[in-house]
Amino acid sequence: MPNSSSISEFLLLPLADTRQLQLLHFWLLLGIYLAALLGNGLISTAVACDRRLHTPMYFFLLNLALLDLGCISTTLPKAMANALWDTRAISYAGCAAQLYLFFFFISSEYSLLTIMSYDRYVAICKPLHYGTLMDSRACATMAAAAWGTGALYSLLHTASTFSLPLCQGNVVNQFFCEIPQILKLSCSGYYLREVFFLIFSACLASGCFVFIVVSYVQIFLAVLRMPSEQGRHKAFSTCLPHLAVVSLFVSTVFYAYLKPPSISSPSMDLMVAVLYSVVPPTLNPIIYSMRNREIKYALRKVMQHALFQLQ
C-alpha cells in the first residue's frame, strides 16, 4: 500500500472520457478563463487609473478582483493543460502549491467580503463617521489583514494536510487539489487533526457570516427608512450584488468542505467545486459593474484611451 513518501505525483479527475470531449472542455475552460481575466483585469485597471474611484468601496473591489484573478489562475490553467495534452498528472510539489494558493485566495476573499459588508454598513448606517472610520490607513490595514489571514490559514492547512501519511493511493477525485479530496487519501485515523482545523475554520467563517448577515439587516432597515426612492435604489444596487456573491460563495464552500462523506459523489463534488472556484471569479466583474455607473464610465475611459493609443 503506497504512503506519502512514495508518492511523487497525483492523478486529477479527468473532465471527460473521450478525446473530443476533452478538447471541448479545453475550449470551454479557455473561454471562461479569458472572460475572468478580461473582466477582473478591466475592473483593476479602471479602479487604478480613475481617480474618482479611489474610494474605500472601489479599493476593496480592486482587491477582490486581484484575488479572483489569483483564484481562477490557480485551478483552470492546469485543468486546461491536462485536457489539451490528455493527461491527469500533477506533481506532489505542484499539488501542494496549488492547494496552498487556492486556499490562500479563497480564505482571503472571504475575509475581504466580510470587510466589504462592514464598509457598506458604515457608508449607509453611519455616513457622518464614514470618513473617519474608513480612511486610507484603515482601509489599507483591513486589506492587509485579509491577505495576511489568508496566507497564515493556508500555510497551516497545507502543512497539516501534507504531513499526513497517505495510504489510499494518489487519485484525487477533483480537477484540482483541494483539502477534502487529499484527506480521503490519508490513512484512517490520521486525518482528525486537519478535520479539527477545518471545523475551527468553519466556526470562524460562521462568525464572519453572522457578522455579514447582521450588517445587512442593519443596512436594509436603514435603507427602508430613507425618504428618497432614488437613495433607496442606489443603496440596494450596491448592496444586493455583494450579498449575492457572498451567498453563493459561502454556501458552496461550506458544502464542499463540511459535507458528510456519505453524500459525496464525484459528479456532485465537481459541480460544487466549479460553483465556488470558477463561477464567482468569472461573474464578480459582471455583478459589480453591470449596474454601476462609475465603473461603466471608468471602463469607457480606459477603452477609449486604449483605442486612441492604437490609432
Side-chain angles (χ1 to χ4, degrees), residues 23-308:
L23 294 176
L24 178 62
H25 280 97
F26 166 77
W27 290 110
L28 177 63
L29 293 178
L30 179 62
I32 294 173
Y33 185 56
L34 292 177
L37 290 182
L38 179 63
N40 288 289
L42 285 175
I43 285 185
S44 301
T45 304
V47 174
C49 295
D50 194 328
R51 295 185 61 85
R52 297 195 314 161
L53 301 184
H54 292 179
T55 62
M57 183 177 75
Y58 294 109
F59 170 73
F60 294 131
L61 184 58
L62 169 63
N63 280 266
L64 181 65
L66 295 176
L67 289 170
D68 282 337
L69 285 173
C71 181
I72 202 166
S73 296
T74 302
T75 57
L76 283 197
K78 182 58 179 177
M80 289 188 293
N82 284 356
L84 181 62
W85 302 113
D86 190 19
T87 182
R88 300 170 54 190
I90 182 172
S91 67
Y92 187 93
C95 184
Q98 190 179 60
L99 189 148
Y100 171 80
L101 290 172
F102 181 73
F103 202 84
F104 162 60
F105 286 121
I106 65 168
S107 55
S108 298
E109 182 164 336
Y110 187 56
S111 299
L112 187 68
L113 290 172
T114 306
I115 294 170
M116 291 174 71
S117 70
Y118 175 72
D119 172 66
R120 292 298 84 206
Y121 165 76
V122 175
I124 294 175
C125 299
K126 299 180 181 294
L128 297 180
H129 302 283
Y130 187 75
T132 303
L133 295 175
M134 302 299 295
D135 59 10
S136 58
R137 183 174 181 178
C139 291
T141 301
M142 286 187 282
W147 288 78
T149 300
L152 178 60
Y153 261 40
S154 184
L155 180 62
L156 292 175
H157 281 289
T158 304
S160 175
T161 301
F162 279 90
S163 65
L164 299 174
L166 306 180
C167 304
Q168 308 298 326
N170 66 337
V171 178
V172 179
N173 289 320
Q174 192 54 270
F175 72 96
F176 64 95
C177 291
E178 66 171 359
I179 292 176
Q181 300 301 328
I182 300 297
L183 291 181
K184 291 180 181 179
L185 305 180
S186 63
C187 302
S188 177
Y190 283 92
Y191 59 85
L192 294 179
R193 179 183 55 190
E194 176 56 24
V195 170
F196 170 78
F197 278 143
L198 286 176
I199 294 175
F200 176 71
S201 298
C203 293
L204 292 180
S206 299
C208 292
F209 184 69
V210 170
F211 177 85
I212 293 172
V213 171
V214 171
S215 297
Y216 273 100
V217 169
Q218 297 296 321
I219 288 171
F220 290 145
L221 291 176
V223 168
L224 292 175
R225 291 195 295 265
M226 290 182 177
S228 169
E229 182 178 350
Q230 183 179 1
R232 291 196 299 269
H233 176 76
K234 183 177 180 181
F236 278 124
S237 66
T238 57
C239 293
L240 289 178
H242 179 233
L243 191 58
V245 171
V246 171
S247 300
L248 175 64
F249 186 78
V250 171
S251 60
T252 51
V253 168
F254 272 43
Y255 179 85
Y257 283 79
L258 298 178
K259 68 181 182 301
S262 59
I263 63 173
S264 177
S265 68
S267 58
M268 181 63 72
D269 291 346
L270 178 62
M271 183 182 70
V272 171
V274 169
L275 285 177
Y276 80 81
S277 67
V278 176
V279 173
T282 307
L283 292 186
N284 276 351
I286 300 174
I287 292 174
Y288 280 103
S289 63
M290 186 168 53
R291 300 182 64 183
N292 191 303
R293 294 180 181 178
E294 289 83 3
I295 288 286
K296 288 181 180 179
Y297 177 76
L299 288 176
R300 280 197 297 268
K301 285 179 60 177
V302 169
M303 297 181 72
Q304 288 172 0
H305 179 73
L307 291 174
F308 178 78

